[in-house]
């Protein structure tokens, strides 16, 4: 791991200050977005789902472009089929606001449960090391979150994705701000 040390030169001080300001700005933006996401989880869920839909639509355009430029009929037909699939999924997610929320929430719950099971398995393998109980705890929390999301379906679909995205934005924004503060202390040395 490389450690950056402020050697006192104006160039280094300028680099540290520029990086610190950038991290601070990104952190503040993420905190503000996180607050809005937690305050309005349903609107965040719809917005997030719509963005995913548009990403699929862009992917469909890419597949159709690939089909247009394909040199073999097999490659062309594969790209056309993939483009159609991506386009249908993207259109469904982007243009039918309530259509894919439950599906995405189910996938989220499944992902939490699988992650939790893997962490519990890792904890059992790491039981001879200090701190293994934290891994076990984390796995239990992930499994519990997945089960609670499943238990509250379909109503959890209106808040789960938006709330979890908001918590993630708050956590990341806070960590960016803390790194920015630490960089400020280094740049003054």
């Amino acid at each position: 791991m490389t450690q950056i040390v402020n050697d006192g030169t104006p160039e280094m001080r300028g680099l540290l200050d520029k990086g610190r300001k950038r991290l601070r700005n990104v952190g503040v933006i993420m905190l503000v977005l996180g607050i809005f996401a937690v305050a309005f989880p349903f609107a965040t869920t719809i917005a997030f789902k719509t963005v995913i839909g548009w990403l699929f639509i862009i992917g469909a355009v890419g597949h159709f472009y690939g089909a247009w430029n394909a040199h073999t009929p097999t490659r062309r037909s594969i790209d056309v089929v993939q483009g159609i699939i991506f386009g249908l999924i993207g259109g469904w997610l982007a243009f039918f606001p309530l259509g894919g929320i439950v599906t995405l929430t189910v996938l989220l719950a499944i992902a939490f449960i699988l992650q939790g099971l893997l962490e519990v398995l890792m904890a059992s393998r790491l039981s001879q090391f200090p701190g293994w109980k934290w891994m076990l705890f984390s796995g239990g929390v992930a499994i519990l979150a997945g089960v609670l999301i499943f238990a509250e379906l379909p109503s959890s679909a209106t808040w789960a994705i938006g709330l979890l995205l908001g918590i993630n934005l708050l956590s990341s924004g806070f960590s960016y701000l803390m790194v920015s503060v630490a960089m400020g202390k280094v740049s003054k040395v």
Side-chain angles (χ1 to χ4, degrees), residues 16-176:
L16 285 170
D17 196 43
K18 185 177 178 182
R20 182 181 64 81
K21 287 178 183 175
R22 187 174 295 143
L23 279 174
R24 182 196 63 217
N25 293 341
V26 170
V28 168
I29 291 168
M30 291 176 94
L31 281 171
V32 170
L33 290 174
I35 289 168
F36 280 120
V38 169
F40 306 105
F42 182 65
T44 303
T45 298
I46 297 292
F48 182 72
K49 186 191 78 64
T50 303
V51 167
I52 291 173
W54 277 104
L55 291 174
F56 269 99
I57 291 170
I58 292 168
V61 170
H63 281 293
F64 288 131
Y65 178 76
W68 181 268
N69 292 316
H71 297 294
T72 65
T74 304
R75 183 72 235 168
R76 184 173 293 118
S77 61
I78 289 172
D79 273 337
V80 166
V81 169
Q82 287 177 327
I84 290 170
I85 292 170
F86 271 52
L88 289 173
I89 292 170
W92 180 56
L93 290 172
F95 301 118
F96 297 100
L98 301 177
I101 294 176
V102 173
T103 304
L104 287 174
T105 305
V106 167
L107 291 174
L108 178 71
I110 290 170
F112 277 5
I113 291 170
L114 290 176
Q115 176 193 357
L117 290 172
L118 289 173
E119 287 182 351
V120 167
L121 182 65
M122 281 181 11
S124 70
R125 298 240 187 222
L126 298 172
S127 62
Q128 70 272 17
F129 295 105
W132 69 275
K133 291 178 184 175
W134 289 109
M135 182 68 68
L136 182 66
F137 176 74
S138 176
V141 168
I143 291 170
L144 181 63
V147 168
L148 288 174
I149 290 170
F150 260 128
E152 293 295 320
L153 278 172
S155 69
S156 64
T158 61
W159 56 263
I161 295 172
L163 179 66
L164 294 171
L165 181 63
I167 291 169
N168 185 28
L169 285 168
L170 288 170
S171 171
S172 295
F174 183 74
S175 67
Y176 278 44

